């Protein structure tokens, strides 16, 4: 009977493990999320594992042995509870599959203003000041350009402080 198990993979070798496990007939799943990064002064979207170095595998231990899976290139070992590999609830796996890069998650990212958009700051030390949105600064902050004494200054503020005009 097939079950889901959790594997720990060698550093940055999840792709290699997936290829080799697929050849053996083991179904693999590792949730990924789209992340925006600044690379060489340009914003780039890339896919990254939600749980780095961890992977869920689905197989029948009576058909494919634990040792075979554990000895696969790229795999370090099973996550265990005592001596036996830890079984994972299928509902958890299916909920991860359904929510992976969901529309709700993408909506959170798209709610940020566009660069150059004029906003008003609602809270904080710059409350009431108009600012020009520049770029995101991490998950919950943004860089804004504000005019102080006739000169544009770049400041980092909480995203919830922004009000669209």
């Amino acid at each position: 009977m097939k079950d889901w198990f959790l594997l720990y993979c060698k550093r940055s070798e999840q792709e290699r493990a997936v290829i080799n496990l697929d050849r053996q007939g083991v179904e693999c799943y590792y949730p990924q999320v789209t992340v925006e990064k600044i690379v060489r002064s340009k914003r780039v979207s890339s896919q990254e594992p939600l749980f780095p170095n961890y992977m869920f595998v689905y197989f029948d231990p009576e058909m494919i042995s634990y040792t075979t899976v554990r000895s696969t290139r790229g795999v370090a070992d099973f996550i265990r509870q005592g001596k036996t590999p830890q079984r994972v609830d299928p509902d958890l796996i299916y909920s991860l599959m359904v929510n992976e890069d969901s529309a709700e998650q993408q909506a959170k990212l798209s709610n940020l203003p566009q660069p150059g958009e004029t906003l008003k700051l609602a809270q904080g030390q710059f409350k009431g000041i108009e600012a020009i949105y520049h770029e995101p600064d991490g998950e919950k902050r943004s860089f804004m350009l504000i005019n102080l004494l006739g000169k544009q200054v770049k400041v980092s503020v909480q995203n919830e402080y922004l009000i669209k005009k």
Side-chain angles (χ1 to χ4, degrees):
M1 184 170 160
K2 287 186 170 185
D3 276 315
W4 285 99
F5 297 92
L6 183 59
L7 285 180
Y8 183 75
C9 296
K10 294 176 183 171
R11 187 168 181 249
S12 302
E13 291 198 17
Q14 283 177 299
E15 291 292 330
R16 173 187 249 181
V18 168
I19 291 167
N20 291 310
L21 288 166
D22 279 343
R23 288 181 187 153
Q24 297 172 31
V26 176
E27 186 178 332
C28 303
Y29 173 65
Y30 64 102
Q32 295 186 339
V33 64
T34 303
V35 178
E36 285 192 4
K37 292 183 176 182
I38 306 294
V39 178
R40 295 186 190 120
S41 301
K42 292 185 182 178
R43 183 170 297 151
V44 178
S45 293
S46 64
Q47 291 281 94
E48 289 188 0
L50 185 59
F51 309 112
N53 299 339
Y54 292 93
M55 174 188 323
F56 299 100
V57 291
Y58 187 63
F59 69 98
D60 184 353
E62 292 179 10
M63 303 297 277
I64 302 168
S65 73
Y66 294 122
T67 306
T68 302
V69 174
R70 193 191 65 200
S71 301
T72 303
R73 294 187 89 181
V75 175
D77 203 353
F78 282 94
I79 301 301
R80 300 173 182 274
Q81 182 171 359
K83 290 184 178 180
T84 60
Q86 178 67 46
R87 284 182 161 73
V88 179
D89 183 14
D91 291 337
L92 171 68
I93 304 299
Y94 299 131
S95 67
L96 284 170
M97 288 178 176
V98 167
N99 292 319
E100 186 175 4
D101 276 345
S102 66
E104 180 182 310
Q105 195 175 30
Q106 292 300 324
K108 284 181 185 176
L109 295 174
S110 66
N111 279 344
L112 289 176
Q114 297 299 313
E117 192 173 335
T118 303
L119 304 167
K120 194 172 205 174
L121 299 173
Q123 297 176 6
Q125 62 191 17
F126 300 109
K127 181 179 179 179
I129 295 178
E130 285 190 2
I132 300 169
Y133 183 79
H134 188 62
E135 66 184 11
D137 175 27
E139 197 172 299
K140 297 183 179 183
R141 298 184 65 83
S142 294
F143 281 121
M144 307 294 292
L145 298 174
I146 61 173
N147 282 320
L148 290 177
L149 302 172
K151 182 179 179 187
Q152 276 193 346
V153 179
K154 186 176 177 180
V155 296
S156 182
V157 297
Q158 296 282 16
N159 286 341
E160 61 265 12
Y161 292 179
L162 307 176
I163 298 175
K164 291 190 178 188
K165 285 182 77 177

